[in-house]
Amino acid sequence: AALLAIATGIAGVILLTLYSRHLREVNELSVKLEHERDNLKTTLERQSSLINELAETKKLSSLSIMVAGLAHELNTPVGATQLALSSQASLLEKLIENKNTGLTKSAFDNYLEQSGKSLHQAQRNNQRAIELIQSFKRLTFERANNELNTFNVAQHLDDLCKSMHGLLHKQNIRLANNVPNHITLTGYAGAFSQIVQIIISNAIDHAFENMAGACLELSCEYRGKDVAVIIRDNGKGIKADELPHIFEPFVTSKRQQDHTGLGLHMARVWIEQAFSGDIKVESSPGVGTTFELTFRSVRKLAARIAKDKIPENPFT
């Protein structure tokens, strides 16, 4: 009995020692896990902050592209207007000279004819400049005051195409705008144009690489109560192993050219949050790529807003 008691006591001490050691190891592991969790949480917060900052940078970058495009497009009508006004000033100077030396009917008739042409040219080019400025004002105003409203899809896409015409022309890319005039959409107009601009800019940056005959085709149609915007290019296409990852953050094939890899990621986030929509992509190497953007109907969007499932202005 004594031996049994001694053996039981020894076994108890051994088990207690092993349990204490195990408990100490568990506590140490728990502390390490808690420390790792805090580190991961901090890293995630930093990454989220970085993504938000880069998203704002992306908005500013897209705005700078529009400003550069506007400046390029305004150069032609403003220059033509200046030329017409200079010509008119020369005609007036010649008329005054003829008046002092003896003005003939034929000289006066010629002045009237040439003046009419100069004024017509100045008015036409000035109107072109006014239209460009108005389209730019609409785009920038909507992105700064992104409120829920009903807007004409064709007008907004036409404004966007005008703002990007200079960049497209510089890259020798033809843009075919086949959007019908009757399609309307209720949602965030600023987010809408920003999303489409990201897809077009992505094609400009990655699809062509100075290939001849580069072309983008922009079209739009109703899908029930939803609106689908289709953007096709005849570029080099996307590799099959890269296609599933193109919407992931920080994924880019041109990091050495200061691309962040956030463009398509932000486009998908914004279309999901602001329109309950989605983006589909099909691509064949050597043939081209097609992006299909679906913007959900106002009924579904309004229902989500009513249930407070998205913020009042998710784009900002």
Side-chain angles (χ1 to χ4, degrees):
L3 291 174
L4 181 61
I6 292 171
T8 303
I10 293 172
V13 170
I14 294 173
L15 289 174
L16 182 60
T17 302
L18 292 176
Y19 176 74
S20 298
R21 182 183 301 173
H22 174 71
L23 187 62
R24 185 170 59 254
E25 291 175 351
V26 169
N27 289 335
E28 291 176 355
L29 181 61
S30 177
V31 171
K32 290 181 180 179
L33 288 175
E34 186 175 355
H35 181 67
E36 291 296 328
R37 184 198 63 187
D38 292 339
N39 288 339
L40 289 173
K41 182 179 179 181
T42 302
T43 302
L44 181 60
E45 290 175 351
R46 289 177 180 175
Q47 184 179 23
S48 299
S49 177
L50 176 61
I51 290 177
N52 291 334
E53 291 176 5
L54 290 174
E56 292 301 318
T57 303
K58 190 71 178 178
K59 291 182 184 180
L60 294 175
S61 175
S62 63
L63 183 61
S64 68
I65 291 174
M66 289 192 295
V67 171
L70 177 67
H72 181 274
E73 290 300 300
L74 281 175
N75 186 60
T76 299
V78 170
T81 301
Q82 180 62 34
L83 181 62
L85 293 175
S86 298
S87 176
Q88 181 61 32
S90 178
L91 289 171
L92 182 59
E93 182 180 348
K94 188 175 181 179
L95 179 68
I96 295 173
E97 181 182 343
N98 289 336
K99 173 181 174 293
N100 295 331
T101 59
L103 180 63
T104 64
K105 183 178 182 301
S106 60
F108 183 68
D109 290 341
N110 180 68
Y111 168 79
L112 293 178
E113 181 182 356
Q114 296 300 322
S115 294
K117 292 180 180 179
S118 297
L119 290 174
H120 175 71
Q121 183 182 10
Q123 289 173 344
R124 181 166 55 86
N125 284 282
N126 189 56
Q127 181 61 35
R128 169 64 176 165
I130 291 173
E131 292 174 357
L132 288 170
I133 293 173
Q134 287 176 342
S135 66
F136 179 75
K137 285 176 61 179
R138 280 193 295 266
L139 283 173
T140 54
F141 177 79
E142 287 153 1
R143 293 189 184 183
N145 300 277
N146 200 27
E147 298 177 354
L148 183 65
N149 55 25
T150 301
F151 58 91
N152 185 281
V153 171
Q155 183 186 64
H156 283 71
L157 292 180
D158 184 61
D159 290 342
L160 179 61
C161 292
K162 287 178 180 177
S163 71
M164 302 189 72
H165 182 268
L167 180 60
L168 291 162
H169 180 73
K170 182 180 179 180
Q171 301 291 334
N172 294 318
I173 301 172
R174 183 175 66 87
L175 176 60
N177 187 352
N178 300 321
V179 178
N181 293 323
H182 68 281
I183 295 180
T184 60
L185 179 66
T186 300
Y188 302 96
F192 173 82
S193 64
Q194 176 79 74
I195 293 166
V196 177
Q197 182 180 351
I198 288 175
I199 304 301
I200 296 177
S201 297
N202 184 76
I204 294 173
D205 292 336
H206 299 278
F208 304 110
E209 293 187 352
N210 300 319
M211 64 172 283
C215 180
L216 279 168
E217 180 183 352
L218 184 62
S219 58
C220 183
E221 61 186 31
Y222 279 120
R223 300 279 177 85
K225 294 183 178 181
D226 302 337
V227 173
V229 176
I230 301 96
I231 304 169
R232 296 185 179 91
D233 68 65
N234 63 343
K236 64 179 184 179
I238 304 173
K239 296 179 182 179
D241 59 334
E242 296 176 355
L243 194 59
H245 306 289
I246 62 173
F247 294 107
E248 296 176 7
F250 307 113
V251 173
T252 178
S253 60
K254 292 188 175 183
R255 194 172 303 281
Q256 69 278 8
Q257 300 179 22
D258 297 328
H259 287 257
T260 62
L262 274 180
L264 293 179
H265 172 71
M266 297 311 303
R268 186 179 67 174
V269 170
W270 286 334
I271 197 172
E272 289 175 352
Q273 291 185 350
F275 293 93
S276 304
D278 57 69
I279 302 178
K280 297 179 181 178
V281 57
E282 296 180 357
S283 186
S284 299
V287 177
T289 303
T290 299
F291 283 88
E292 183 178 296
L293 287 64
T294 301
F295 299 87
R296 301 300 178 193
S297 67
V298 61
R299 178 178 57 81
K300 297 178 181 179
L301 179 61
R304 291 193 67 196
I305 293 175
K307 293 179 181 179
D308 293 328
K309 290 186 177 181
I310 60 175
E312 182 178 352
N313 190 344
F315 181 56
T316 57

